[in-house]
Amino acid sequence: MASSQVWQRDALALSLIVVLTLLRSSVALSQPDLQIVDAERRIDLTSHIIKVFLTLKVKNTGTSSASQVLLAFPPYQVDNLALLKAAASVGKKKKKYPSLDVNPKFPDGPNGTKYFAIDLLKPLGSGESSTVEILYILTHLLEPFPAEISQSEHQLVYFRDSAVILSPYHINQQTTFLKLPSREVESYTIIEPTKLAGLELKYGPYEDRVPHSFSPIIVHFENDNHFAVVEELVREVEISHWGSVQVTEHYKLAHAGARHKGVFSRLEYQGRPSASGASSFQQLLARLPPKVHSVYFRDNIGNISSSHLRVDSRKSELEIEPRYPLFGGWKATFIIGYKLPLEDFLYESPDGRRYLNFTFGCPLIETSVDKLTIKVSLPEGSKDPSLVAPFPVKQHLETSYSYLDVVGRTVVVLQKENVVPDHNLPFQVYYKFNPIFMLAEPLMLVSTFFLLFAACIAYLHIDLSIRKDKTS
Amino acid sequence: MNGPKAQESNPSKPASKNPDLLLPTSNFSLKTLKLKTKQQELLIRVSILCLVYVLAFITRLFSVLRYESMIHEFDPYFNYRTTLFLTEKGFYEFWNWFDSESWYPLGRIIGGTLYPGLMVTAALIYWTLRFLRFMVHIREVCVLTAPFFASNTTLVAYFFGKEIWDSGAGLVAAALIAICPGYISRSVAGSYDNEGVAIFALLLTFYLFVRAVNTGSLAWALASAFGYFYMVSAWGGYVFIINLIPLYVLVLLITGRYSMRLYVAYNCMYVLGMLLAMQIRFVGFQHVQSGEHMAAMGVFFLIQVFYFLNWVKHLLSDAKLFEIFLRITVTGAVGLGAIALGVGSASGYISPWTGRFYSLLDPTYAKDHIPIIASVSEHQPTAWSSFMFDFHFLLFLFPAGLYFCFKRLSDATIFIVMYGLTSMYFAGVMVRLILVATPAVCLISAIATSATIKNLTSLLKSKSKVTLSGSSRGSASSKASSKALLDYSLPFQKNAAIALLVGAFYLLSRYVTHCTWVTSEAYSSPSIVLAARGAHGNRVIFDDYREAYFWLRQNTPPDSKVMSWWDYGYQITAMGNRTVIVDNNTWNNTHIATVGRAMASYEDEAYEIMQSLDVDYVLVVFGGVTGYSSDDINKFLWMVRIGGGVFPVIKEPDYLVNGEYRVDKGASPKLLNCLMYKLCYYRFGELRTEYGKPPGYDRARSVEIGNKDIKLEYLEEAFTTSNWIVRIYKVKPPNNRW
């Protein structure tokens, strides 16, 4: 009986939730009074990280004021959406771009369309209009076709999207520009007016499209850019109050482009570099902070001897070569480690806490990271760690042991999936630390040696033998 | 025979007291702080030992400085892999480990076919360090195990030298062995092999045994049994101990030096050592079943007979009666032993000597019967130059030391003489056994050096004392004064002594220079990374092996089977993490011969063999582009010989032209079309390696290759490293029938 009661209660709660959501959705969708007067979309397809710049001119044609603008994405894009940023465009001559909050909005629209709501700076009154600039970044959306290529072939990819912008609003006028990496375009869907000029493919302008209109396009083009994807990156940041920050980065790198098929000929690769392995890559560049030192580059079978480091006052550049060139589908794992001076990264906040100010993201340029973990291990004896990050990340605490640790170090673990270079923003870890703990390890060593010598002296001066030697 | 040792330590005391007396003693406070002579001597001795200890460690670090902290050569990679397994999975799993990644499809029972001493030692060091919160990586522990044990060996050498001669000789022995190239060759940082630990264990066992014989103490004999156990767990070379010690006991018996001390020492050491050694699975019951261990057992029974006879002699006062009894007993014992041995070997209970053992006694045996042993370069007979290279002037000190030993014969010196002579013989048979001879050579040379320098300095000192303290200080020993009297008769003796001392120190300094040079130039190369001088004098590094192994590890299916010549087996499993057909543990000759046969066959025949072995990739090592000479083409004749030894289809003359091995146009057609040739030279004919030479010019053999148009039908190139040193081919799946 009890269970049925529970069930009834659950059902009640469920129905309540359903009603509430219906209510909310009716609120959300009862804004047909917003209209997009003009939309321009620029899609940058030059690398495997797709950047989309969207400019919307929104006008409130209804009676009530609107505080949010909705963005719509087809489901496959949401899964690969790495970053979504919006900014208002304010001012006539001197334009300013104050950033706006973007949040996912439920429920989903027709055919699984996902919504994101942009909170406007101030509610848009009746008849007013405003311009919103949106940047979003997509990864893993260029599908290699053919999926397998041989060494001498170029890499061709598909890009699928809609010629018209998916939106819950009526769009009066819109244009889409696709920036392609090369002039070699195999095919593209034509939805008049469509124009290919040089490296730019233009869809539109289209006029008066109803909400949720979608006209799929496929562009098939050559893209020999390096599809360098770090499948997993673990960055360990260890703070030592004796003056350094040790960073160790474990990479699992893969070439995510068209898979390599058949023979790999070193002769072709060395003899005709232009005609062979166009989409493969050998070199990677990592941007490290200035004043970096003690850099190493190795993997789990030893040191990799092909790397160059250029250090100047503003930045350091580490040029690394994995052991072999990476063709489609090939993988390489490696470790980069370096030390940084403490004073550039550790600060004391006014309330007496210390904080580490460090850059999120992956130092390798032009790569996306599928799964990024940052482990900040605080010095032994630090308390109350707290994290300030510019975007939501998963976090938890761990304990690790390093040299001569007794109680272990607190490790703040940050995890984020689908990270792109635009995520390279500073984050802070605050913690309390009593400097007396710095002396614990040296004192331990000193006392060990002291005891050792004391034991030696004692051994030499004390006669432990039970029976006295006859000769003495 | 204990006497000389106890006396020997005394003369040094009055001698070293002299500086104490000659020092100005005006300052009172300084005088109270001054150490006593005994303490001074101890301080000097301990600091010298500490310095030698540190020196032995750091002189082996050249390779870490030149290259990196890495495991060297071939076998150490297996040891490293097993140590990794041990530290990750624990001892029980390690003991029961069946490795399916090697000897496909047979597999290998790792726990039962290795000497676990090295791995367990490294794991223990690792666990201890981790417990003390030194968060080191297991690789660092493995790399530094050999230098660490080399340092420990110097300590053992010191105590050994002290035991057989005096503490001076001990110090010299420690210093000599610390830098002796013969030992360094096997114990540089990264050379993570059984020998690194085993030489320490060997010397420790010998030292403890000699100590046990000298003292007759059960405790030392027990310690020596444990030392022997450690040696058995670490290296197959323990057979040397179990044969040398009985031989030594036999010599003592024959020379009439039988004593109760010897009886206690040998019985305890043999019985306990044998029982302990049986705990090592790889050794098992060999101590009672194999012919190589029978000498020890025979001597064990002989010493019982000796003891029994002594007892009877003690009881019987009649000499004539005893003689009769002796005759009967000896005849009976020898007869019984012979019958037991005969029956044992006839019934197969006692296994005959193995080929490896035979090849030690007869250097030509391996060449005729076991090509797989003969093919290894470190199993070749030793050239004079390598003796000189590894021992330098110790080679001349060795006979001098033997002279000193014979001059002051004792149980201990007899041991070191026997150790020196037998190990020298073995060192002559096989290059790698120079290692076993090194401690003996160092100890005997140390005796020579120490004794010579001591004589010379005492000569100088006694003379100066006579001139200085002729008036008052008459406390000099009578020996010195008698020498001083002698000195007056030889006027140039002092000068000669100075000249000899200078000469000795010059030679010692030459030795140090030589050792450092050899260590840095010859023995510190990891052989997995090759270094060469570039055109502008810069250092060029060829890291092709690791490039290929890492490629295999990352870009082939995890269950791929890789066929290569057995040299690279351990490295492929350790670094490439892929299954291999054969590896450096050459336990199955037929399997290796099958691979050799595949390499020596035409491609279609080889394809059938590869299909039957389920091979996915074939790996060959090729030095034609870089001029790297120890590649598979140069090893090819051994593949033919080993393959031909089992499969008569493969005949060595087919690959030779008038008994000559060549790869150019004049090569035999069979060679030009066999699998190995095709895989090494595939598309090499299109490559221009050297300016002014035709394409396809092989720099390792300095010829233009004979077959430039190589087509592969059943294999395809999967990967070639940047300097072409390693080439990997994929075996194509069979064609569809329809």
Side-chain angles (χ1 to χ4, degrees), chain A residues 329-351:
Chain A
W330 288 10
K331 290 177 184 179
T333 57
F334 53 87
I335 301 166
I336 300 176
Y338 46 90
K339 272 190 178 169
L340 299 165
L342 188 71
E343 62 266 21
D344 293 3
F345 297 91
L346 195 76
Y347 304 94
E348 197 165 351
S349 69
D351 59 354

Side-chain angles (χ1 to χ4, degrees), chain B residues 101-107 561-564 566 569 572-573 578-583 587-588 591-592 594-595 610 613-617:
Chain B
E101 281 199 3
S102 55
W103 293 95
Y104 184 85
L106 307 169
K561 271 71 82 177
V562 183
M563 182 173 92
S564 72
W566 60 264
I572 293 172
T573 38
R578 291 294 174 266
T579 308
V580 292
I581 307 296
V582 290
D583 67 24
W587 67 274
N588 189 325
H591 219 48
I592 292 179
T594 314
V595 172
M610 290 189 289
L613 287 173
D614 208 6
V615 173
D616 297 303
Y617 290 91

Side-chain angles (χ1 to χ4, degrees), chain B residues 298-550:
Chain B
V299 170
F300 173 69
F301 286 121
L302 192 66
I303 206 168
Q304 308 309 326
V305 171
F306 239 86
Y307 182 78
F308 177 66
L309 286 175
N310 267 4
W311 180 66
V312 171
K313 192 180 181 183
H314 180 70
L315 287 185
L316 290 178
S317 46
D318 191 352
K320 208 174 179 187
L321 208 62
F322 176 70
E323 200 149 294
I324 297 164
F325 181 75
L326 182 75
R327 208 166 286 161
I328 294 169
T329 326
V330 167
T331 328
V334 168
L336 216 68
I339 289 168
L341 197 70
V343 168
S345 30
S347 63
Y349 180 77
I350 297 169
S351 62
W353 289 351
T354 58
R356 276 171 198 266
F357 199 73
Y358 267 123
S359 60
L360 278 180
L361 300 181
D362 174 12
T364 56
Y365 181 83
K367 212 166 217 172
D368 302 332
H369 295 90
I370 329 169
I372 207 147
I373 289 182
S375 76
V376 180
S377 61
E378 60 182 20
H379 291 166
Q380 303 304 320
T382 317
W384 269 108
S385 60
S386 51
F387 270 119
M388 200 55 207
F389 197 66
D390 279 354
F391 290 139
H392 196 237
F393 93 115
L394 300 190
L395 211 55
F396 305 110
L397 284 181
F398 182 68
L402 286 181
Y403 164 74
F404 279 105
C405 287
F406 275 113
K407 224 174 117 185
R408 208 178 86 184
L409 221 49
S410 70
D411 287 0
T413 44
I414 289 180
F415 181 83
I416 196 69
V417 165
M418 288 191 56
Y419 174 28
L421 291 177
T422 46
S423 62
M424 255 328 207
Y425 166 73
F426 288 127
V429 174
M430 257 191 207
V431 178
R432 69 187 287 200
L433 292 180
I434 282 188
L435 180 69
V436 177
T438 306
V441 171
C442 285
L443 279 166
I444 293 174
S445 308
I447 289 171
T449 317
S450 175
T452 312
I453 290 180
K454 205 169 210 174
N455 288 347
L456 290 175
T457 43
S458 69
L459 218 63
L460 283 179
K461 212 177 281 166
S462 60
K463 194 155 190 179
S464 63
K465 197 187 288 164
V466 166
T467 51
L468 216 157
S469 61
S471 52
S472 58
R473 295 272 178 197
S475 67
S477 66
S478 57
K479 201 172 160 192
S481 54
S482 67
K483 260 192 184 162
L485 279 174
L486 267 173
D487 288 343
Y488 286 118
S489 57
L490 295 166
F492 294 112
Q493 194 158 19
K494 191 182 166 190
N495 294 343
I498 290 175
L500 279 173
L501 266 182
V502 169
F505 280 110
Y506 173 73
L507 281 177
L508 284 171
S509 66
R510 291 303 304 166
Y511 173 70
V512 172
T513 327
H514 172 80
C515 291
T516 318
W517 176 77
V518 167
T519 311
S520 88
E521 292 298 316
Y523 290 143
S524 292
S525 159
S527 94
I528 193 99
V529 179
L530 312 165
R533 291 260 163 242
H536 309 291
N538 53 328
R539 204 164 77 124
V540 187
I541 282 191
F542 300 126
D543 203 357
D544 287 41
Y545 280 108
R546 289 193 294 184
E547 180 182 346
Y549 297 145
F550 208 63

Side-chain angles (χ1 to χ4, degrees), chain B residues 155-174:
Chain B
L155 288 189
V156 180
Y158 164 71
F159 285 113
F160 204 173
K162 200 178 159 192
E163 190 66 32
I164 52 176
W165 202 256
D166 59 15
S167 61
L171 282 180
V172 178

Side-chain angles (χ1 to χ4, degrees), chain A residues 187-207:
Chain A
S187 68
Y188 55 95
T189 315
I190 295 173
I191 294 172
E192 288 299 346
T194 303
K195 200 176 111 189
L196 176 65
L199 293 174
E200 196 173 77
L201 182 61
K202 182 179 171 190
Y203 281 97
Y206 305 115
E207 281 170 8

Side-chain angles (χ1 to χ4, degrees), chain A residues 267-337:
Chain A
L267 184 75
E268 300 281 336
Y269 186 76
Q270 282 173 337
R272 285 180 281 277
S274 56
S276 145
S279 69
S280 72
F281 58 90
Q282 174 104 50
Q283 278 199 344
L284 296 160
L285 188 70
R287 288 244 161 79
L288 303 179
K291 291 200 248 171
V292 65
H293 64 97
S294 315
V295 182
Y296 64 83
F297 172 45
R298 55 174 298 132
D299 58 26
N300 45 7
I301 62 169
N303 186 41
I304 308 171
S305 40
S306 46
S307 59
H308 304 280
L309 179 69
R310 284 186 296 271
V311 185
D312 62 33
S313 58
R314 279 171 292 111
K315 61 173 195 304
S316 312
E317 284 188 335
L318 177 67
E319 217 175 71
I320 53 173
E321 275 179 39
R323 292 192 186 274
Y324 40 84
L326 269 91
F327 280 76
W330 288 10
K331 290 177 184 179
T333 57
F334 53 87
I335 301 166
I336 300 176

Side-chain angles (χ1 to χ4, degrees), chain B residues 120-384:
Chain B
V120 173
T121 307
L124 281 179
I125 295 174
Y126 173 70
W127 285 326
T128 313
L129 287 175
R130 295 293 274 203
F131 177 74
L132 295 174
R133 292 269 181 269
F134 287 97
M135 305 314 242
V136 289
H137 193 274
I138 181 67
R139 185 189 58 246
E140 315 296 345
V141 176
C142 293
V143 165
L144 297 180
T145 297
F148 173 62
F149 272 88
S151 290
N152 295 341
T153 310
T154 60
L155 288 189
V156 180
Y158 164 71
F159 285 113
F160 204 173
K162 200 178 159 192
E163 190 66 32
I164 52 176
W165 202 256
D166 59 15
S167 61
L171 282 180
V172 178
L176 289 182
I177 203 168
I179 53 171
C180 186
Y183 185 28
I184 285 183
S185 68
R186 292 294 172 144
S187 62
V188 291
S191 166
Y192 179 56
D193 212 346
N194 293 335
E195 291 96 321
V197 172
I199 290 304
F200 165 75
L202 178 93
L203 206 58
L204 184 70
T205 314
F206 284 157
Y207 162 63
L208 292 172
F209 184 71
V210 168
R211 178 103 199 168
V213 171
N214 272 347
T215 57
S217 147
L218 208 53
W220 288 111
L222 185 71
S224 132
F226 275 98
Y228 176 65
F229 171 59
Y230 187 53
M231 175 70 190
V232 174
S233 77
W235 195 34
Y238 76 90
V239 178
F240 179 59
I241 297 186
I242 203 63
N243 284 302
L244 179 64
I245 285 184
L247 195 65
Y248 165 64
V249 173
L250 195 66
V251 168
L252 286 194
L253 292 184
I254 290 169
T255 50
R257 284 170 172 271
Y258 169 80
S259 66
M260 204 57 203
R261 291 177 282 111
L262 182 69
Y263 183 78
V264 169
Y266 182 70
N267 281 332
C268 176
M269 190 267 163
Y270 175 67
V271 173
L272 268 174
M274 179 172 72
L275 289 176
L276 285 169
M278 283 179 187
Q279 312 309 312
I280 306 295
R281 271 172 73 198
F282 193 28
V283 177
F285 287 105
Q286 280 185 30
H287 275 81
V288 287
Q289 287 189 339
S290 117
E292 286 137 35
H293 302 76
M294 280 304 130
M297 189 179 274
V299 170
F300 173 69
F301 286 121
L302 192 66
I303 206 168
Q304 308 309 326
V305 171
F306 239 86
Y307 182 78
F308 177 66
L309 286 175
N310 267 4
W311 180 66
V312 171
K313 192 180 181 183
H314 180 70
L315 287 185
L316 290 178
S317 46
D318 191 352
K320 208 174 179 187
L321 208 62
F322 176 70
E323 200 149 294
I324 297 164
F325 181 75
L326 182 75
R327 208 166 286 161
I328 294 169
T329 326
V330 167
T331 328
V334 168
L336 216 68
I339 289 168
L341 197 70
V343 168
S345 30
S347 63
Y349 180 77
I350 297 169
S351 62
W353 289 351
T354 58
R356 276 171 198 266
F357 199 73
Y358 267 123
S359 60
L360 278 180
L361 300 181
D362 174 12
T364 56
Y365 181 83
K367 212 166 217 172
D368 302 332
H369 295 90
I370 329 169
I372 207 147
I373 289 182
S375 76
V376 180
S377 61
E378 60 182 20
H379 291 166
Q380 303 304 320
T382 317
W384 269 108

